[in-house]
Amino acid sequence: MESGTSRSAAGGSPARRRAATEAIDEARAGSARLIESLTRLWDDVVEASALVANDDEHDPEGATVAFERAQLRDVLKQAHADLDALEGAAERIRTGDYWICEHCGGPIAPERLVARPTARTCIGCAANAAAGRAAR
């Protein structure tokens, strides 16, 4: 952690901590609802494909059941990853690390956390990481 930056200073007031917790809780509830909905869709697609014995790979009318399953699987996987990231953010709020960049130890701007509640790095470190990935 950068000298001079304490968890309490970075975390701010109890009101700010409460607001962050509420935002994370709301996003977690939304992710859980999305996962529930996607799981029902997945179950419906799997059930529908089990009931039909035709060859959907050559259906000129649209996407194949396999394609739909692959899309749903990937969206569901991302929804679970998003929920995991939100769980991590909730834990960082509890420990006081939510407002501290994991890379440089400096503060993460409140505006960044409002826009991206699961951010683990400050804007500067995120930009440096993106530039490094782009250079590869």
Side-chain angles (χ1 to χ4, degrees), residues 25-136:
D25 288 347
E26 184 177 318
R28 285 166 49 191
S31 287
R33 285 190 303 273
L34 177 61
I35 289 169
E36 226 175 89
S37 177
L38 290 169
T39 300
R40 280 193 306 272
L41 284 171
W42 173 266
D43 293 344
D44 290 347
V45 168
V46 169
E47 183 180 335
S49 67
L51 297 174
V52 178
N54 68 351
D55 177 14
D56 78 336
E57 296 299 319
H58 300 94
D59 180 2
E61 296 299 317
T64 66
V65 172
F67 176 76
E68 289 178 12
R69 267 196 310 242
Q71 275 191 313
L72 275 172
R73 180 198 61 228
D74 291 345
V75 173
L76 190 55
K77 184 178 174 182
Q78 184 60 53
H80 278 288
D82 292 346
L83 184 58
D84 289 346
L86 288 164
E87 295 292 342
E91 179 60 26
R92 288 191 310 281
I93 290 171
R94 283 189 287 279
T95 64
D97 293 332
Y98 183 67
W99 296 270
I100 300 169
C101 176
E102 290 183 350
H103 220 169
C104 71
I108 300 174
E111 300 82 9
R112 176 164 170 74
L113 292 169
V114 167
R116 193 179 157 128
T118 58
R120 300 173 77 111
T121 58
C122 66
I123 292 172
C125 288
N128 289 341
R133 284 189 303 272
R136 288 185 216 163

